[in-house]
Amino acid sequence: FTLLAPEHSILGKPTLSATFIDRVLAATHSPAAGTGADFYQLSLKSDIDDAWPLAFFHHESDYGASGEARVTFSIGNSRCISTRPCIDQDRGGYAQMLNWVDGIAQWYQLLSNLYIKQWGRSTVEQIIPRYAPSADGNDEVAYIHALVSDVAAYRAGQVLP
């Protein structure tokens, strides 16, 4: 018999305060600084714990400081969606959000509607193989570990660079 590691659900009420999220974003010089209340309110509305989208944002773009997110305002580097312009198609295509608040809202909507409600995937272990598959050059195990590690640090009050 094998002992399976516990799965990490993204569901739940916020475990971080808007103030703490603002501290993280300000300390890291994120262009999305000041959006802590948006993460928090969307967490309450969607029943997705705000620690998880913050961890995705960290992993995907160093809180908006690197990569596509600098241009797209997408906290999760979302691929093209029907409701937003599709840019950088030579690099696979990315959804151009209206601003950081829109990018945060779109991430919650994507995870809530598609991953959780349609596909029944509510743990990072279930989400990452679809969200950032190894077929796209991602290290799924490392990605999951990074998210789980970030969330634990945030919940312990650590501001991660």
Side-chain angles (χ1 to χ4, degrees), residues 80-104:
C80 296
I81 55 176
S82 61
T83 58
R84 297 291 175 277
C86 182
I87 67 165
D88 295 334
Q89 295 183 33
D90 57 319
R91 291 197 293 281
Y94 293 88
Q96 173 66 65
M97 305 307 171
L98 306 174
N99 51 44
W100 286 113
V101 174
D102 182 52
I104 296 163

Side-chain angles (χ1 to χ4, degrees), residues 15-95:
T15 57
L16 308 178
S17 68
T19 304
F20 178 80
I21 295 170
D22 281 338
R23 275 184 37 223
V24 170
L25 297 177
T28 59
H29 308 290
S30 169
T35 57
D38 300 290
F39 279 93
Y40 186 84
Q41 290 301 323
L42 286 160
S43 180
L44 286 173
K45 187 177 155 193
S46 67
D47 201 37
I48 295 174
D49 178 358
D50 57 1
W52 294 105
L54 187 62
F56 272 85
F57 193 24
H58 183 204
H59 189 76
E60 286 288 333
S61 66
D62 292 319
Y63 308 109
S66 64
E68 285 291 324
R70 291 175 304 169
V71 176
T72 63
F73 308 120
S74 174
I75 69 166
N77 283 334
S78 296
R79 294 299 184 162
C80 296
I81 55 176
S82 61
T83 58
R84 297 291 175 277
C86 182
I87 67 165
D88 295 334
Q89 295 183 33
D90 57 319
R91 291 197 293 281
Y94 293 88

